[in-house]
Amino acid sequence: MPEQQVPQLASQLIMDNQARFPVNEVDATESSSDTLSGTEGSLITASITPRSNSKVLLMASCQLNNDAATAREINLFIRRGSATDRPATLQLTSQLEARAADKRCITFCVVDSPATTAAITYDLRGTTDAGSPTATNKSIVAIELPAVTKFG
């Protein structure tokens, strides 16, 4: 196959797969402010119903805002459901510097394997070690990843 035909073939394969496997995606965004505390609290949720027992790619982000001129430790979690008695799908720790105006935009992603076709709710949750920092401009995106197609 001539080298110049490879991009055309790749483009055609992508379009064919998108037509056969439409993207199953859920986006949730929220700009309101949530105050973090020592108790784990919900920041934003997104629900998706997988079409097959496939994997789900989760992308989440939020802006953390310090409330005082004291360093803060922030813990962010993505949980399948809101039960805190199960391990989190992802846990991330971030530091806010000892400045009252310190802000951090945190973005992360993880692949989950729920092995179900029932509706799943993913919950972005947070805690802090002290004070009352806030989380704003929150978003969570859940995208079902189709099974890998084998060629050849």
Side-chain angles (χ1 to χ4, degrees), residues 26-82:
V26 175
D27 304 327
T29 59
E30 189 177 283
S31 60
S32 65
S33 178
D34 287 312
T35 301
L36 300 173
S37 69
T39 303
E40 190 178 309
S42 179
L43 303 175
I44 190 168
T45 61
S47 295
I48 189 168
T49 304
R51 296 182 187 122
S52 65
N53 291 337
S54 56
K55 297 182 184 310
V56 176
L57 173 66
L58 301 163
M59 295 174 283
S61 67
C62 68
Q63 178 179 316
L64 301 172
N65 310 292
N66 206 347
D67 62 317
T70 305
R72 303 279 189 235
E73 182 176 282
I74 308 295
N75 292 298
L76 297 174
F77 310 87
I78 292 183
R79 293 196 182 276
R80 193 185 311 150
S82 58

Side-chain angles (χ1 to χ4, degrees), residues 9-20:
L9 181 59
S11 178
Q12 186 62 46
L13 283 171
I14 290 169
M15 288 189 312
D16 288 349
N17 277 331
Q18 286 175 340
R20 285 187 291 163

